[in-house]
Each structure stands twice: as structure tokens, then as C-alpha cells.
Amino acid sequence: MRLTSPRRIRTLVFLSILIGSSRLASSFATSAEPADRPNIVVIFTDDQGYADVGCFGAKGFETPSLDRLAKQGARFTNFHVAQPVCSASRAGLLTGCYPNRIGIHGALGPKVTHGLNAQETTIAEMLKQQGYATGMAGKWHLGHHPQFLPIHHGFDEYYGLPYSNDMWPHHPGAGAGADYPKLPFIEGDKIIDAEVTADEQKQLTTRYTERAVSFIDRNHDKPFFFYLAHSMPHVPLFVSDKFAGKSAKGIYGDVIMEIDWSVGEVMKALDRNGLTDKTWIIFTCDNGPWLNYGNHAGSAGSLREGKGTNWEGGTREPCIMRWPGHIPSGATNDRLMSTIDLLPTIAGRVGGALPKLPIDGRDVWPLIAGVPDAKNPHDAYFFWYANNQLQAVISGDGEWKLILPHTYRTLNGRPGGHGGKPVQYDQRKVERAELYHLQADPNETTDVAAANPTVVERLEKLADGARDDLGDALTKRVGRNVREPGRLPKSD
């Protein structure tokens, strides 16, 4: 038997390692090829309620395109936004951070002088680093001054409104319209229409959709990301003549039907370009319905409360995702997850680098893909509102929710307004922490804190850690790890 010399053994081991490393590198290179990475389309509506999609229980109108998307993909019934209000919610979606970590609170008005900081990394920036074409149409609402607009946060192109369509001098709602300046329409970082008119408001959904379809057609031969952020169904409601009077629920239903048409047009564009199997579509909403607008507001179904509250009706949103061959088709997925998880989860699918600054989201792909027994990587999700008030904590497994003492708005069972005119909310105070068993009681009807002191103690401890991290105005805590938003230079 011939013995191999030690030198020959070392040489063989080295060659084996070298060949193995080469194969591993080749494998990584192959997985990073554009053909193997999905295009990403995020469709984000404004103030649409949990029950405002056909397959989520809509009444008075139909959503055939969204229902078809759900049959081809999956319906996510326990999907949450970071905060139940416009700007903060969008900040969480795009950066993977709790909005208060990056200094974005509430809904930024036309008179603010701050916006999303250039040091923060958006989904668009992460994907652009991977060679993706990136585009956006619709409502931005993360700073309206030129340096804060989407094309300075990773988007190759932008077309839409810088903030909510009610921040408009002609808004008939709460009487505040006259306080607003003209509502501009922007392309890139330039104003192309100094004052949006009522007739132009009617065309917003159509114009955004046409831009999304054009972007897909123009970028069909490369990986792309498109963020379609509809202004509707935020009040004031406007709908094109194509859908006016079509639903049994008045203009609100008409508006949702037009949004559904928009989703269908995006799906057709993907089909026409042979991209359906190569594209991950994510449809969801920024917060729950603005209930005091009554028949101009949506429905959270049986969930408690709506926009502007951290009850389930405010943060749990309808969500549908489709990526054929990767997300189970026709599935209903009740795993808890959040918009803050989208950036790191998308990064994991495309080989993208996570932001250098700390973020709060985690890669939840096993949950999205329906992997049996997959665990949520979060100990808990935390829900702030208003001026950095920590109001609720949900355990990472989705079983328990602790509502912390705070004051919230409610209609107390009264109907909302009519014809675009809101009614006033009542204010109600949570005097001591309340615990809800969400798996058995998603409608938050029964406080079970007294019967589960150990659970309350565990969630209170997690809440205290969140206060130390990001602060809490209710307990006068200053967070150690908050970052400043971008700000305009101070004038002399």
C-alpha cells in the first residue's frame, strides 16, 4: 500500500479547499444573477381599512384583481404597520426602523422644515446598490423640500404628491383647508404643477398607475423596484369617471374599485412582459380607516377602532403577497409580521447589504414562505403614536397584546360623518395596563390582565427596554438611540 507523504496531503487539502471555495463563490455569484432575483413591486394605499378588500370581507364593492392576486399568492391576516398614521408608517416601511428611531412622527405638514435624513437607508437605496432600477409614483410624505424627496433617497424617478391630498386649500373636511398652501405635483424634485385642482385629484389613481405601467415596460429587461403609493382612499375622495357611481357603497367603494383596477393594470404589465413569475408583489396599506369621516371612510371589520390608534383596527392591515413558486398560492397566513421587516427580508432575497445604522426589522422570510414551525425573530413589536408615546406591545409570537396607559380617540359607537365632513372623536383613557389574548380575541373585547400577571410582567419588562432604547413621552423617558431627521439649514 502506497503511503501519501505529509507534503502531498497538505497539497491535496489545499486544492480541495480551493476548489470548494471556488464552487461556493460560483454558487453565490449564480444566486446573485439578476435573472434569479425578484423584481419588487410595493403597492401602498392610504387609510384603507382591514375589511376594504373583497377577500378580507369587503361589503358593497368588489375587488377582483386583489382577490385574484390573493389566489395566486397569499393573504396575510396579521400584518401590521409601524404606526397608525401617514408619515410615520411610511418611514417604517421604507427604512425598516421604528419611525421614532429616525425622528419621524405623525403626519408631516406642508410647513415643516424636516424630513427623512440622508443617512437613513431606504429599500430603494439598498436595491439600487444591487443594480436595480428604482421608481416611485404617488404620495411620499417624508419631507416635501427638494433634498428630502424620493430621488435623493434611492429612487431613479418620482412622480406624485409630496404629502396627503387633504393638505390642500380646497379640502372640504375639518375646516382646515384654508390654512394649507397650494398642493403641488412633483416630478423628480421639480414642481410640474403648482396647484392640483379637483379635476386633477380625480385622475390621481389613473396617473400613478400609468406611471407604474410605463416603468415596468421601460425596465422589463433588468431587475427593478417600484413603489406605488396611492393617495386614495384618503379624504377628500376623488375617483375618475371610469368608476364614478359603480359601487353600492358610494364614492368610497368607487375609489377602492379604481385602486383594484390599478392593481390589475400592474399585473397585466407584468404578464405582458413575461415577468409574473419573476416579481414579488406586496400590497398593503399605511394605517386603518379614518372612522370619523363615516361614509367617506373604510372599515376595519370587527377589529377595534381605526386610524390614529394602536388598537388592531389602527395597525393591522390587509396584506397580499405574490411571488409564484416562492410564496404558497391560495394560502391564508396568520403569522405576525410588520412593514419594518420588509427591508431586511427583501435584502435577504437579493443579497443586499443591511443598512450600516441599526434598524429594527428582521428577516421574516420563513414566515412569509409558510415554513412549518417557523418562529418570529422578534421578542415583541412596539407601537408608539403621537409625540413618541409608547402605547402598546405585541409579543413576537402574536399571542398577547399589552395596551399601556394612554388616552386614545374613539367614536364610542357613534356613526361617523357624512359627505366628507367628519364628526368629533371622544377621548378615552386607559387607566392601567390592559392585556388581550389576540389569538382568541383579535377584536380586543376582553381584558385578561388580572388572570395573566406573568404575561403582563414579561411584556412590561420588554416595554421598559423599548423606552430605554427609543424613549416614551408618557413616562417621560428619553431614548438613548434615537437619530435626528434631516433638517433644512437654519437661515441667518
PDB file of all heavy atoms in Angstrom, residues 187-201:
ATOM      1  N   GLU A 187     -42.392  66.041 -10.215  1.00  0.00           N
ATOM      2  CA  GLU A 187     -41.669  65.002 -10.946  1.00  0.00           C
ATOM      3  C   GLU A 187     -40.195  65.187 -10.658  1.00  0.00           C
ATOM      4  O   GLU A 187     -39.658  66.294 -10.797  1.00  0.00           O
ATOM      5  CB  GLU A 187     -41.939  65.076 -12.446  1.00  0.00           C
ATOM      6  CG  GLU A 187     -41.272  63.943 -13.200  1.00  0.00           C
ATOM      7  CD  GLU A 187     -41.866  63.693 -14.574  1.00  0.00           C
ATOM      8  OE1 GLU A 187     -42.618  64.560 -15.058  1.00  0.00           O
ATOM      9  OE2 GLU A 187     -41.577  62.630 -15.150  1.00  0.00           O
ATOM     10  N   GLY A 188     -39.541  64.096 -10.253  1.00  0.00           N
ATOM     11  CA  GLY A 188     -38.156  64.216  -9.791  1.00  0.00           C
ATOM     12  C   GLY A 188     -38.124  65.032  -8.517  1.00  0.00           C
ATOM     13  O   GLY A 188     -38.697  64.640  -7.505  1.00  0.00           O
ATOM     14  N   ASP A 189     -37.480  66.194  -8.547  1.00  0.00           N
ATOM     15  CA  ASP A 189     -37.560  67.116  -7.410  1.00  0.00           C
ATOM     16  C   ASP A 189     -38.013  68.497  -7.868  1.00  0.00           C
ATOM     17  O   ASP A 189     -37.758  69.495  -7.212  1.00  0.00           O
ATOM     18  CB  ASP A 189     -36.236  67.189  -6.650  1.00  0.00           C
ATOM     19  CG  ASP A 189     -35.067  67.624  -7.514  1.00  0.00           C
ATOM     20  OD1 ASP A 189     -35.285  67.923  -8.707  1.00  0.00           O
ATOM     21  OD2 ASP A 189     -33.928  67.669  -7.008  1.00  0.00           O
ATOM     22  N   LYS A 190     -38.730  68.517  -8.998  1.00  0.00           N
ATOM     23  CA  LYS A 190     -39.223  69.772  -9.548  1.00  0.00           C
ATOM     24  C   LYS A 190     -40.751  69.791  -9.554  1.00  0.00           C
ATOM     25  O   LYS A 190     -41.405  68.782  -9.837  1.00  0.00           O
ATOM     26  CB  LYS A 190     -38.725  69.954 -10.988  1.00  0.00           C
ATOM     27  CG  LYS A 190     -37.222  69.934 -11.144  1.00  0.00           C
ATOM     28  CD  LYS A 190     -36.584  71.171 -10.542  1.00  0.00           C
ATOM     29  CE  LYS A 190     -35.107  71.260 -10.910  1.00  0.00           C
ATOM     30  NZ  LYS A 190     -34.224  70.520 -10.055  1.00  0.00           N
ATOM     31  N   ILE A 191     -41.312  70.936  -9.240  1.00  0.00           N
ATOM     32  CA  ILE A 191     -42.755  71.108  -9.294  1.00  0.00           C
ATOM     33  C   ILE A 191     -43.168  71.263 -10.762  1.00  0.00           C
ATOM     34  O   ILE A 191     -42.698  72.170 -11.459  1.00  0.00           O
ATOM     35  CB  ILE A 191     -43.197  72.333  -8.477  1.00  0.00           C
ATOM     36  CG1 ILE A 191     -42.913  72.102  -6.991  1.00  0.00           C
ATOM     37  CG2 ILE A 191     -44.671  72.634  -8.700  1.00  0.00           C
ATOM     38  CD1 ILE A 191     -43.161  73.327  -6.121  1.00  0.00           C
ATOM     39  N   ILE A 192     -44.040  70.372 -11.231  1.00  0.00           N
ATOM     40  CA  ILE A 192     -44.502  70.461 -12.620  1.00  0.00           C
ATOM     41  C   ILE A 192     -45.935  70.985 -12.693  1.00  0.00           C
ATOM     42  O   ILE A 192     -46.428  71.288 -13.778  1.00  0.00           O
ATOM     43  CB  ILE A 192     -44.396  69.102 -13.335  1.00  0.00           C
ATOM     44  CG1 ILE A 192     -45.239  68.023 -12.642  1.00  0.00           C
ATOM     45  CG2 ILE A 192     -42.945  68.663 -13.440  1.00  0.00           C
ATOM     46  CD1 ILE A 192     -45.340  66.724 -13.427  1.00  0.00           C
ATOM     47  N   ASP A 193     -46.586  71.069 -11.527  1.00  0.00           N
ATOM     48  CA  ASP A 193     -47.941  71.634 -11.469  1.00  0.00           C
ATOM     49  C   ASP A 193     -48.058  72.311 -10.111  1.00  0.00           C
ATOM     50  O   ASP A 193     -48.083  71.647  -9.079  1.00  0.00           O
ATOM     51  CB  ASP A 193     -48.975  70.516 -11.618  1.00  0.00           C
ATOM     52  CG  ASP A 193     -50.405  71.032 -11.731  1.00  0.00           C
ATOM     53  OD1 ASP A 193     -50.624  72.232 -11.459  1.00  0.00           O
ATOM     54  OD2 ASP A 193     -51.300  70.245 -12.082  1.00  0.00           O
ATOM     55  N   ALA A 194     -48.119  73.626 -10.108  1.00  0.00           N
ATOM     56  CA  ALA A 194     -48.057  74.368  -8.850  1.00  0.00           C
ATOM     57  C   ALA A 194     -49.293  74.199  -7.994  1.00  0.00           C
ATOM     58  O   ALA A 194     -49.229  74.329  -6.774  1.00  0.00           O
ATOM     59  CB  ALA A 194     -47.832  75.858  -9.135  1.00  0.00           C
ATOM     60  N   GLU A 195     -50.430  73.905  -8.600  1.00  0.00           N
ATOM     61  CA  GLU A 195     -51.659  73.772  -7.817  1.00  0.00           C
ATOM     62  C   GLU A 195     -52.543  72.678  -8.402  1.00  0.00           C
ATOM     63  O   GLU A 195     -53.067  72.817  -9.512  1.00  0.00           O
ATOM     64  CB  GLU A 195     -52.433  75.093  -7.801  1.00  0.00           C
ATOM     65  CG  GLU A 195     -53.694  75.015  -6.939  1.00  0.00           C
ATOM     66  CD  GLU A 195     -54.398  76.353  -6.823  1.00  0.00           C
ATOM     67  OE1 GLU A 195     -54.042  77.285  -7.559  1.00  0.00           O
ATOM     68  OE2 GLU A 195     -55.305  76.460  -5.979  1.00  0.00           O
ATOM     69  N   VAL A 196     -52.678  71.589  -7.664  1.00  0.00           N
ATOM     70  CA  VAL A 196     -53.540  70.489  -8.091  1.00  0.00           C
ATOM     71  C   VAL A 196     -54.994  70.918  -7.935  1.00  0.00           C
ATOM     72  O   VAL A 196     -55.404  71.410  -6.882  1.00  0.00           O
ATOM     73  CB  VAL A 196     -53.243  69.223  -7.271  1.00  0.00           C
ATOM     74  CG1 VAL A 196     -54.253  68.127  -7.555  1.00  0.00           C
ATOM     75  CG2 VAL A 196     -51.827  68.731  -7.554  1.00  0.00           C
ATOM     76  N   THR A 197     -55.773  70.701  -8.971  1.00  0.00           N
ATOM     77  CA  THR A 197     -57.190  71.057  -8.957  1.00  0.00           C
ATOM     78  C   THR A 197     -58.039  69.846  -8.619  1.00  0.00           C
ATOM     79  O   THR A 197     -57.547  68.712  -8.564  1.00  0.00           O
ATOM     80  CB  THR A 197     -57.622  71.590 -10.327  1.00  0.00           C
ATOM     81  OG1 THR A 197     -57.529  70.512 -11.284  1.00  0.00           O
ATOM     82  CG2 THR A 197     -56.747  72.748 -10.770  1.00  0.00           C
ATOM     83  N   ALA A 198     -59.335  70.075  -8.420  1.00  0.00           N
ATOM     84  CA  ALA A 198     -60.255  68.973  -8.151  1.00  0.00           C
ATOM     85  C   ALA A 198     -60.289  67.995  -9.325  1.00  0.00           C
ATOM     86  O   ALA A 198     -60.311  66.772  -9.127  1.00  0.00           O
ATOM     87  CB  ALA A 198     -61.651  69.516  -7.854  1.00  0.00           C
ATOM     88  N   ASP A 199     -60.297  68.497 -10.532  1.00  0.00           N
ATOM     89  CA  ASP A 199     -60.298  67.612 -11.700  1.00  0.00           C
ATOM     90  C   ASP A 199     -59.037  66.766 -11.749  1.00  0.00           C
ATOM     91  O   ASP A 199     -59.079  65.589 -12.133  1.00  0.00           O
ATOM     92  CB  ASP A 199     -60.428  68.430 -12.988  1.00  0.00           C
ATOM     93  CG  ASP A 199     -61.848  68.934 -13.221  1.00  0.00           C
ATOM     94  OD1 ASP A 199     -62.789  68.386 -12.590  1.00  0.00           O
ATOM     95  OD2 ASP A 199     -62.017  69.879 -14.018  1.00  0.00           O
ATOM     96  N   GLU A 200     -57.917  67.345 -11.339  1.00  0.00           N
ATOM     97  CA  GLU A 200     -56.669  66.580 -11.316  1.00  0.00           C
ATOM     98  C   GLU A 200     -56.671  65.549 -10.191  1.00  0.00           C
ATOM     99  O   GLU A 200     -56.106  64.454 -10.342  1.00  0.00           O
ATOM    100  CB  GLU A 200     -55.487  67.535 -11.185  1.00  0.00           C
ATOM    101  CG  GLU A 200     -55.230  68.329 -12.464  1.00  0.00           C
ATOM    102  CD  GLU A 200     -54.171  69.398 -12.294  1.00  0.00           C
ATOM    103  OE1 GLU A 200     -54.150  70.053 -11.230  1.00  0.00           O
ATOM    104  OE2 GLU A 200     -53.384  69.579 -13.228  1.00  0.00           O
ATOM    105  N   GLN A 201     -57.306  65.880  -9.062  1.00  0.00           N
ATOM    106  CA  GLN A 201     -57.438  64.889  -7.982  1.00  0.00           C
ATOM    107  C   GLN A 201     -58.177  63.652  -8.491  1.00  0.00           C
ATOM    108  O   GLN A 201     -57.843  62.520  -8.123  1.00  0.00           O
ATOM    109  CB  GLN A 201     -58.193  65.491  -6.792  1.00  0.00           C
ATOM    110  CG  GLN A 201     -57.421  66.526  -6.000  1.00  0.00           C
ATOM    111  CD  GLN A 201     -56.941  66.008  -4.647  1.00  0.00           C
ATOM    112  OE1 GLN A 201     -56.684  64.831  -4.478  1.00  0.00           O
ATOM    113  NE2 GLN A 201     -56.810  66.907  -3.689  1.00  0.00           N
TER     114      GLN A 201
END
